[in-house]
Amino acid sequence: TDRSRGLGDVYKRQFYNCASITAMPESIGNSVTDMEGTFSNCTSLKKISKLPGNLESMQKTFTNCTQLEESPNIPDTVTDMQQTFYGCSNLVKGPNIIPNSVNIMYFTFANCVSLTGTMEINASVTGATLPELNNSLDYEQVFQNTSTKEGTELFITGTCELLDELILTKSYNSNISKI
């Protein structure tokens, strides 16, 4: 069975590179646990409905969705947000809260130059190295080149023990601060 095409609880790469899709289909059921790369490179995607309540992996789910302006709420079941919004250059509003269940945030908001507002990060990243990412840290470059567009300002709060380290992954010109 080819589970990479959206069968059962896995929706890997289902709409990968689909330039014509503008909204997340309502047909994605609540039982879906893995959306790795589901909408990667969907350059016309603008609207995301509610994410599945049992979702665990959001790895690269919205990578390079350049028209996406607002993030959905992140379910408490998500553990992996590696590169979830990487390259979403028009993303203005990130998720209100990143839940404690999230333990991988590698490059999550990298190159989200328009990101602004306030974000609560309660993630449980530990600074562990990830062999599958050439021993990079689980939170490496979360905010690389983020909020660099003129007029943007991102405020970070939350209970994440490594909150200061997450913020330090920003690029030199980023407008990111802790509140």
Side-chain angles (χ1 to χ4, degrees), residues 117-134:
T118 301
M119 188 183 309
E120 182 178 329
I121 301 179
N122 298 326
S124 58
V125 293
T126 62
T129 56
L130 303 171
E132 65 274 20
L133 296 172
N134 297 321

Side-chain angles (χ1 to χ4, degrees), residues 4-20:
S4 69
R5 301 305 301 163
L7 302 174
D9 58 353
V10 177
Y11 246 77
K12 287 184 177 183
R13 299 175 204 81
Q14 178 68 25
F15 301 101
Y16 180 81
N17 255 352
C18 183
S20 63

Side-chain angles (χ1 to χ4, degrees), residues 4-179:
S4 69
R5 301 305 301 163
L7 302 174
D9 58 353
V10 177
Y11 246 77
K12 287 184 177 183
R13 299 175 204 81
Q14 178 68 25
F15 301 101
Y16 180 81
N17 255 352
C18 183
S20 63
I21 192 168
T22 59
M24 182 172 143
E26 299 292 328
S27 61
I28 297 177
N30 216 29
S31 65
V32 172
T33 59
D34 189 343
M35 289 180 68
E36 179 185 334
T38 301
F39 297 102
S40 285
N41 298 317
C42 292
T43 54
S44 298
L45 183 68
K46 292 182 179 184
K47 182 173 173 36
I48 303 167
S49 57
K50 183 179 176 184
L51 293 172
N54 292 315
L55 188 59
E56 295 172 9
S57 177
M58 290 183 68
Q59 185 181 119
K60 301 178 184 177
T61 302
F62 303 108
T63 296
N64 294 321
C65 291
T66 55
Q67 294 304 308
L68 188 62
E69 294 180 356
E70 185 173 337
S71 163
N73 291 326
I74 308 299
D76 304 7
T77 52
V78 172
T79 58
D80 187 350
M81 288 187 69
Q82 178 190 147
Q83 299 178 350
T84 300
F85 297 103
Y86 180 94
C88 293
S89 55
N90 281 312
L91 186 68
V92 173
K93 185 180 183 321
N96 293 327
I97 299 172
I98 295 180
N100 179 266
S101 58
V102 175
N103 57 33
I104 299 176
M105 290 189 68
Y106 178 83
F107 276 89
T108 301
F109 297 103
N111 297 322
C112 293
V113 298
S114 303
L115 197 58
T116 194
T118 301
M119 188 183 309
E120 182 178 329
I121 301 179
N122 298 326
S124 58
V125 293
T126 62
T129 56
L130 303 171
E132 65 274 20
L133 296 172
N134 297 321
N135 292 320
S136 296
L137 299 175
D138 57 6
Y139 65 84
E140 196 162 318
Q141 307 302 327
V142 173
F143 293 111
Q144 178 64 38
N145 195 36
T146 300
S147 300
T148 55
K149 199 174 197 179
E150 189 174 331
T152 61
E153 194 166 16
L154 181 63
F155 298 100
I156 306 294
T157 186
T159 61
C160 178
E161 289 183 24
L162 297 176
L163 201 57
D164 291 328
E165 287 84 351
L166 290 175
I167 293 169
L168 288 176
T169 69
K170 67 184 182 179
S171 62
Y172 178 73
N173 293 320
S174 292
N175 300 310
I176 303 173
S177 54
K178 182 179 172 182
I179 55 172

